[in-house]
Amino acid sequence: MSVLSWALLVILLLSSAILILMVLLHKGKGGGLSSMFGGGMSSVASGSTVAEKNLTRITIGVGIIWFASIIAFGLIMRTMV
């Protein structure tokens, strides 16, 4: 494996871990597993806050990086075979 494939593998692993954490940080919208652990009980702040909007933007950005790294890693692995 070349240096580029190792770098993409590291980026893929880091972005995967960060993406999991970002999704778990999101506030539950009621129902499902989030309300099972108390996430659906906060009805005081029903509006979308600035922190929630920024968290959503960061999650989308990390998701794009994750998707691009999967495509790039697959293309590099395809040329090595």
Side-chain angles (χ1 to χ4, degrees):
M1 288 177 61
S2 68
V3 175
L4 182 61
S5 62
W6 280 106
L8 279 171
L9 184 62
V10 168
I11 291 171
L12 180 62
L13 291 174
L14 285 176
S15 64
S16 297
I18 293 171
L19 191 60
I20 289 170
L21 290 174
M22 290 292 179
V23 168
L24 289 175
L25 283 174
H26 278 279
K27 184 173 47 172
K29 303 295 183 201
L33 288 176
S34 63
S35 66
M36 183 175 159
F37 297 110
M41 296 182 67
S42 61
S43 63
V44 175
S46 61
S48 189
T49 62
V50 174
E52 185 74 23
K53 288 180 184 178
N54 287 337
L55 185 62
T56 302
R57 290 181 187 135
I58 293 171
T59 305
I60 290 171
V62 172
I64 290 171
I65 292 170
W66 178 79
F67 183 74
S69 65
I70 283 183
I71 297 296
F73 189 70
L75 290 174
I76 287 176
M77 288 293 113
R78 184 175 164 194
T79 59
M80 287 186 170
V81 173

